[in-house]
Amino acid sequence: MELGGNAPFLVFGDADLDSAVEGAMVAKLRNGGSACTAANRFVVHESIADDFAGRLAQAMSRLTVGPGLQSGTDIGPLVNAKTREKVGRLVDDALEAGAKALVGAEAPSRRGFYYLPTVLTAVPEDAQILGEEIFGPVAPITTFTTPDEAVQLANATEYGLVSYVYTGDLRVGLRVGQQLDSGMVGINRPAVSDPAAPFGGTKQSGLGREGGHEGMLEFTETQYLAVDW
């Protein structure tokens, strides 16, 4: 039983920024952000946070928002008015708490349940947007200084479906991955789903596994680490 997620996307100071931004676009905007495995919180080392945020905002600003069946569209509408209102409320709450919008942060003036691709920086740790599943094209960014702090921030949620880690050091990636309280971890890759591997989470993200050896034999809460190196 899979019951939602609040996936952290960790970027360490030694990460390849081109790869991290490319991965962030995939992990964040899968199905327009409306996916249980979509990256929900971006936890970035303070030494590269500004550079990462600027590059991500630039990539987001190039996306075309429009009907899904229209040629050239990158981001379609959200499922209904209630969902768009929720996304807007979470963004507005973060801005009122001191966050800054580098791009987006509003619904376009057009028919349909659209919300512009958004990047937020300086998001306070207690902002609602970091505690709820956004289900929209919004990337809130917070910073960390040490690996322990990164793990603490990543695990500060009642959900634990998937986490993403970008680093230039495989040892760091594996060590941090094993400390993350989520059922699946993607290391230097933005997707973890694989028909040969188990799918499932921990905490309020559900019980048991589907797929792979674990899913076929018994209910487990093992962790699946997917590594691109």
Side-chain angles (χ1 to χ4, degrees):
M1 181 178 293
E2 187 272 293
L3 298 172
N6 187 6
F9 190 102
L10 277 59
V11 185
F12 284 80
D14 62 354
D16 181 324
L17 278 183
D18 289 336
S19 177
V21 171
E22 182 180 353
M25 293 292 287
V26 174
K28 173 69 262 184
L29 298 176
R30 184 178 294 111
N31 198 35
S34 299
C36 58
T37 55
N40 211 57
R41 301 168 291 141
F42 290 80
V43 184
V44 185
H45 192 271
E46 60 181 8
S47 66
I48 60 167
D50 289 344
D51 195 2
F52 174 84
R55 295 188 189 201
L56 183 60
Q58 187 176 41
M60 288 272 212
S61 69
R62 291 195 292 262
L63 299 176
T64 299
V65 177
L69 296 179
Q70 182 174 296
S71 178
T73 292
D74 298 306
I75 298 292
L78 299 176
V79 65
N80 54 30
K82 183 178 179 180
T83 300
R84 185 179 64 179
E85 290 168 4
K86 173 190 175 182
V87 172
R89 172 179 56 80
L90 292 174
V91 170
D92 291 344
D93 172 78
L95 294 174
E96 290 173 5
K100 295 179 175 57
L102 298 187
V103 66
E106 63 180 353
S109 179
R110 61 183 298 172
R111 182 183 178 188
F113 307 124
Y114 297 98
Y115 199 86
L116 296 178
T118 299
V119 175
L120 303 176
T121 61
V123 179
E125 292 182 20
D126 59 351
Q128 293 180 26
I129 200 168
L130 299 181
E132 295 188 32
E133 192 170 26
I134 302 170
F135 242 57
V138 179
I141 298 175
T142 59
T143 62
F144 71 91
T145 58
T146 67
D148 287 343
E149 184 183 5
V151 170
Q152 180 181 9
L153 291 171
N155 288 339
T157 173
E158 63 181 341
Y159 298 102
L161 183 60
V162 60
S163 301
Y164 303 95
V165 179
Y166 274 75
T167 175
D169 190 331
L170 178 59
R171 294 169 299 179
V172 171
L174 292 175
R175 183 171 66 249
V176 168
Q178 291 170 344
Q179 292 177 288
L180 295 173
D181 194 356
S182 62
M184 302 173 289
V185 180
I187 301 177
N188 288 342
R189 61 183 294 175
V192 296
S193 299
D194 188 301
F199 182 98
T202 61
K203 299 185 284 188
Q204 294 301 314
S205 285
L207 297 173
R209 296 290 179 269
E210 60 175 315
H213 178 81
E214 291 82 355
M216 291 185 289
L217 294 185
E218 59 181 339
F219 287 109
T220 67
E221 286 196 357
T222 56
Q223 187 188 52
Y224 164 48
L225 274 71
V227 183
D228 275 356
W229 211 263

